[in-house]
């Protein structure tokens, strides 16, 4: 028996297959529609060999799930799928734990969609596609917001009229929780501090989306993303935090509509907006190396905002023991890690340049004896979802 994990984005569907008993990863892959809507790149990596179809005729999630199952079988991964674990970005106030998906929970989740219009609807489409392809399987959801359900009120309430919280549910939810939870667990393991209530970490998830979280004793105490995944750090195409007065000015004086503002802040800002080159950090790095001043500025601003956020999270905890870099940029860009660490010596961060350049996943890159240990951790969101799905399955078996 196996566990299939589906992670649906706006133009990609990541998947991974795990052994049900051990949660050992058996295969992983991607359906990628970036470029065209009706042909996709379908890739699969497994110990049985890799597979790639650069122009698969796949329109929509229904067809994508069917092709994923077909490709897994063709690669010799024949074990029936017993559970499908889905990643859902926003669980709202209702879903603060991994949850079994049925008609009722799906209806409740539909109601959460307006809180995450760019993320939840596509994930729910993928759920429906998987339920019709695998009607006998149990379907579960893991939520990016769930890890943050215990954030202290002082970290989750905004200084706005109290009625906004009461009437509209405005509060900080926090995102990337599946990744932050994995990294908190893995960093504690690597530093042999699991279960220590005083152990304090700052985790920087730096990918297309970016967020930083302060974690004490395994629980988050503050995080940079807020009511939406737009707050906090500068990102690939998202602005992160800016003066809200800018929006009022553009709306009131320049006639911008809500839709235009949303498009600008979500899709035209961040690394892309400043560099004018790309949202992809590798391309921004390359442009900077080739002399683009705007690309250089984008990288400096990106690093500067990460440093300031780390500092503010550290102060929230009164100090820290570990700093974690994860996700595409955090794991792979030694330049970015060096830039971020360069002014954190005052907080006890001492990077080892050789270890940083080597960039080994799940390794320490600070000098021996650094007061704050710096780690690269490879985030394993799918593994985390599989474990949560396995727990729900076992719970269902016992009840
Ligand atoms: P993610 O959202 O975690 O897949 O991360 C995507 C981001 O990671 C993109 O901005 C990529 O350019 C960046 N990235 C991936 N590999 C590298 C690398 N080797 N060096 C620098 N950035 C990278």
């Amino acid at each position: 028996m196996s566990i299939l994990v589906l992670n649906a984005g706006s133009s990609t569907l990541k998947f991974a297959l795990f052994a049900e008993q051990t949660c050992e990863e058996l295969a992983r892959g991607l359906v990628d529609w970036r470029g065209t809507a009706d042909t996709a790149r379908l890739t699969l990596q497994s110990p049985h060999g890799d597979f790639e179809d650069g122009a698969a005729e796949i329109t929509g999630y229904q067809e994508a799930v069917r092709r994923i199952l077909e490709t897994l079988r063709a690669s010799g991964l024949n074990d029936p799928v017993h559970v499908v674990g889905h990643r859902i970005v926003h669980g709202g106030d209702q879903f603060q734990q991994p949850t079994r998906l049925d008609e009722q929970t799906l209806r409740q989740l539909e109601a959460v969609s307006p809180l995450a219009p760019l993320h939840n609807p596509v994930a729910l489409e993928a759920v429906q596609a998987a339920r019709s392809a695998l009607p006998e399987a149990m379907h579960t959801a893991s939520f990016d917001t769930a890890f943050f359900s215990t954030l202290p009120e002082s970290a989750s309430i905004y200084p706005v009229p109290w009625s906004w919280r009461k009437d509209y549910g405005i509060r900080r939810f926090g995102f990337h929780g599946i990744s932050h939870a994995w990294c908190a667990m893995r960093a504690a393991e690597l530093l042999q501090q699991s279960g220590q209530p005083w152990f304090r970490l700052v985790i920087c998830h730096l990918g297309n989306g970016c967020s930083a979280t302060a974690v004490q004793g395994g629980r988050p105490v503050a995080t940079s993303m807020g009511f939406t995944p737009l707050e906090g750090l500068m990102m690939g195409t998202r602005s992160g935090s800016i003066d809200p007065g800018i929006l009022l000015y553009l709306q009131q004086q320049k006639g911008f509509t809500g839709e235009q503002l949303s498009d600008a802040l979500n899709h035209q800002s961040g690394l892309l907006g400043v560099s004018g080159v790309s949202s992809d950090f590798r391309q921004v790095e390359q442009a900077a190396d080739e002399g683009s001043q705007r690309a250089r500025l984008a990288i400096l601003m990106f690093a500067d905002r990460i440093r300031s956020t780390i500092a503010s999270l550290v102060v929230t905890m009164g100090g820290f023991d570990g700093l974690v870099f994860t996700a595409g940029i955090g794991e792979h860009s030694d330049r970015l890690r060096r830039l971020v660490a360069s002014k954190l010596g005052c907080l006890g961060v001492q990077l080892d340049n050789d270890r940083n350049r080597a960039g080994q996943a799940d390794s320490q890159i600070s000098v021996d004896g650094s007061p704050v240990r710096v780690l690269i951790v490879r985030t394993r969101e799918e593994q985390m979802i599989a474990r949560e799905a396995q727990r729900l399955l076992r719970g269902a078996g016992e009840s």
Side-chain angles (χ1 to χ4, degrees):
M1 298 288 193
S2 52
I3 302 173
L4 176 67
V5 171
L6 295 179
N7 180 352
S10 57
S11 49
T12 57
L13 180 60
K14 284 190 204 159
F15 62 94
L17 192 74
F18 297 86
E20 187 188 303
Q21 287 303 321
T22 58
C23 278
E24 179 203 348
E25 186 177 298
L26 305 172
R28 63 168 44 242
L30 177 72
V31 181
D32 187 344
W33 287 275
R34 279 173 289 196
T36 82
D38 49 8
T39 51
R41 209 173 119 243
L42 170 61
T43 50
L44 173 80
Q45 289 139 27
S46 83
H48 302 268
D50 293 350
F51 169 87
E52 174 159 357
D53 183 348
E57 278 178 31
I58 301 178
T59 325
Y61 290 119
Q62 199 89 22
E63 179 61 14
V65 173
R66 200 181 63 72
R67 289 294 295 278
I68 288 169
L69 294 171
E70 220 174 76
T71 310
L72 288 170
R73 277 194 292 269
S75 305
L77 296 156
N78 294 314
D79 258 6
V81 173
H82 207 175
V83 198
V84 186
H86 299 267
R87 176 188 177 197
I88 311 266
V89 166
H90 213 311
D93 281 320
Q94 295 95 317
F95 295 98
Q96 307 197 338
Q97 297 289 336
T99 300
R100 183 177 184 160
L101 293 170
D102 54 25
E103 292 305 328
Q104 191 194 345
T105 48
L106 279 169
R107 258 198 314 279
Q108 289 170 327
L109 263 175
E110 296 276 352
V112 174
S113 277
L115 289 175
L118 302 176
H119 298 95
N120 273 30
V122 287
L124 290 179
E125 256 183 68
V127 171
Q128 294 302 6
R131 285 181 91 215
S132 65
L134 294 162
E136 306 300 326
M138 175 171 165
H139 293 256
T140 66
S142 293
F143 301 96
D144 275 297
T145 48
F147 183 55
F148 301 106
S149 61
T150 55
L151 270 185
E153 276 199 330
S154 56
S156 70
I157 289 180
Y158 287 99
V160 292
W162 195 253
S163 58
W164 288 17
R165 166 80 188 109
K166 226 166 34 58
D167 299 339
Y168 309 124
I170 304 292
R171 71 166 170 96
R172 181 184 305 284
F173 285 101
F175 297 88
H176 290 148
I178 299 167
S179 173
H180 285 295
W182 174 268
C183 291
M185 186 181 74
R186 190 74 186 116
E189 244 169 48
L190 290 167
L191 298 176
Q192 298 176 341
Q193 299 292 337
S194 302
Q196 296 292 349
W198 47 263
F199 180 59
R200 299 159 303 180
L201 285 170
V202 171
I203 299 167
C204 298
H205 176 111
L206 309 173
N208 288 318
C210 301
S211 64
T213 297
V215 175
Q216 187 155 10
R219 296 304 315 165
V221 291
T223 192
S224 63
M225 280 182 167
F227 178 68
T228 71
L230 194 49
E231 194 182 351
L233 302 175
M234 176 173 161
M235 312 184 206
T237 60
R238 281 174 255 169
S239 61
S241 296
I242 61 166
D243 176 359
I246 297 170
L247 308 184
L248 300 176
Y249 171 76
L250 291 175
Q251 199 179 30
Q252 291 165 358
Q253 306 297 330
K254 301 292 172 189
F256 275 58
T257 63
E259 213 165 299
Q260 285 172 317
L261 291 174
S262 167
D263 183 56
L265 296 175
N266 280 300
H267 303 301
Q268 312 293 336
S269 298
L271 289 169
L272 173 66
V274 178
S275 71
V277 174
S278 172
S279 63
D280 188 293
F281 196 72
R282 279 167 295 198
Q283 292 182 24
V284 180
E285 280 187 317
Q286 193 185 336
D289 291 341
E290 289 166 1
S292 160
Q293 289 304 322
R294 277 177 59 186
R296 280 188 196 157
L297 178 65
I299 293 175
L300 289 180
M301 285 171 60
F302 186 66
D304 206 28
R305 285 172 169 240
I306 296 166
R307 272 194 304 258
S308 314
T309 303
I310 291 171
S312 102
L313 293 172
V314 169
V315 171
T316 305
M317 295 187 289
F320 69 149
D321 307 294
L323 174 63
V324 174
F325 288 98
T326 194
I329 305 171
E331 189 184 330
H332 298 295
S333 176
D334 57 307
R335 174 194 325 221
L336 192 272
R337 291 190 301 264
R338 182 170 41 74
L339 267 176
V340 169
S342 66
K343 291 186 188 163
L344 294 181
C346 59
L347 296 180
V349 172
Q350 295 171 9
L351 209 61
D352 179 308
N353 288 331
D354 292 336
R355 289 176 183 167
N356 181 46
R357 256 194 307 276
Q360 283 276 327
D362 293 359
S363 77
Q364 189 173 320
I365 55 168
S366 43
V367 298
D368 294 335
S370 171
V372 173
R373 313 245 233 134
V374 186
L375 298 174
I376 299 174
V377 172
R378 178 166 298 164
T379 191
R380 296 187 193 271
E381 289 163 302
E382 284 81 18
Q383 170 76 236
M384 193 78 192
I385 296 168
R387 290 184 188 193
E388 293 182 345
Q390 183 199 51
R391 233 171 283 138
L392 282 168
L393 181 72
R394 291 189 174 160
E398 281 156 17
S399 63

